[in-house]
């Protein structure tokens, strides 16, 4: 170990060719060729917009969970409210607030950044920012839910009970697992690890400042 912080660092490479080889309904597949250690390397990956998720907590340290069907894994998963950053120019915090209203008919007054993670950095460029939302109330929104969202179930569950379910391998959604484990650890530290809700998202591959 060195004296520098333990952190992921940006590493620009010279991309010599880039093409979209599959144009999907939601995500595309891109093929890049780049120079690395003096040799050309070609990689294909899913090109993703990124996403946000919301860990909403009430005054009793209960977490808001939603359950919906996820076809690739054939499961009705318990998850955190979440959504894609697919509105051009939309601020991630605004997207998170919108998703909480659209999926759970809730709004929150207090927002902080809890965690960020890359879902599968060897195969896609998807990154997710998880917010903690508190001081929650009903939004009385009138959102028409369709497809997999049409039969969403909502539950408030004690944070410790959700952590137990993750550790027992009964829940596998990554945003949920990372979110509740991070919240559990942050709470033990007096929530000192939380960051302001509007901090720049420099580790998002599409928002990263130019070198």
């Amino acid at each position: 170990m060195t004296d520098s912080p333990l952190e992921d660092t940006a590493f620009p490479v010279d991309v010599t060719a880039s093409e979209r080889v599959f144009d999907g309904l939601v995500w595309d597949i891109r093929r890049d060729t780049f120079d690395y250690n003096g040799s050309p390397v070609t990689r294909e990956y899913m090109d993703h917009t990124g996403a946000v998720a919301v860990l909403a907590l009430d005054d009793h340290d209960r977490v808001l969970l939603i359950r919906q069907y996820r076809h690739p894994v054939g499961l009705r998963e318990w998850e955190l409210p979440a959504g894609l950053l697919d509105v051009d120019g939309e601020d991630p915090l605004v997207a998170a607030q919108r998703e909480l209203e659209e999926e759970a008919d809730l709004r929150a007054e207090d927002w902080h950044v809890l965690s960020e993670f890359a879902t599968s950095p060897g195969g896609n460029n998807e990154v997710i920012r998880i917010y903690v939302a508190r001081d929650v109330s009903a939004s009385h929104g009138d959102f028409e839910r369709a497809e997999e969202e049409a039969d969403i179930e909502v539950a408030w569950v004690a944070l410790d009970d959700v952590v137990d379910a993750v550790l027992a391998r009964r829940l596998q959604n990554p945003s949920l697992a990372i979110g509740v484990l991070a919240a559990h650890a942050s709470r033990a530290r007096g929530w000192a690890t939380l960051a302001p809700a509007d901090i720049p998202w420099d580790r998002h591959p599409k928002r990263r400042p130019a070198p």
Side-chain angles (χ1 to χ4, degrees), residues 84-191:
L84 300 173
L85 292 171
D86 56 357
V87 177
D88 189 39
E90 185 176 39
D91 183 89
L93 175 59
V94 174
Q97 293 168 336
R98 173 173 52 79
E99 290 296 338
L100 183 61
E101 288 204 61
E102 289 183 359
E103 295 190 345
D105 297 318
L106 293 173
R107 63 180 58 183
E109 298 299 324
D110 184 65
W111 291 82
H112 288 84
V113 172
L114 172 65
S115 184
E116 297 168 351
F117 69 100
T119 60
S120 183
N124 66 52
N125 58 1
E126 178 186 22
V127 290
I128 297 179
R129 172 175 277 188
I130 306 175
Y131 293 88
V132 166
R134 289 179 285 196
D135 194 4
V136 178
S137 61
S139 70
H140 305 295
D142 185 20
F143 297 101
E144 183 177 346
R145 301 186 181 100
E147 300 175 337
E148 293 95 335
E149 294 183 347
D151 58 351
I152 280 179
E153 298 176 51
V154 177
W156 287 96
V157 184
L159 175 61
D160 290 340
D161 291 344
V162 186
V163 169
D164 288 344
V166 169
L167 295 178
R169 298 166 298 281
R170 300 196 305 271
L171 302 177
Q172 67 177 25
N173 180 269
S175 295
L176 173 62
I178 292 172
V180 298
L181 293 175
H184 190 269
S186 185
R187 184 182 62 179
R189 301 182 184 194
W191 300 105

Side-chain angles (χ1 to χ4, degrees), residues 12 208-211:
R208 188 175 298 147

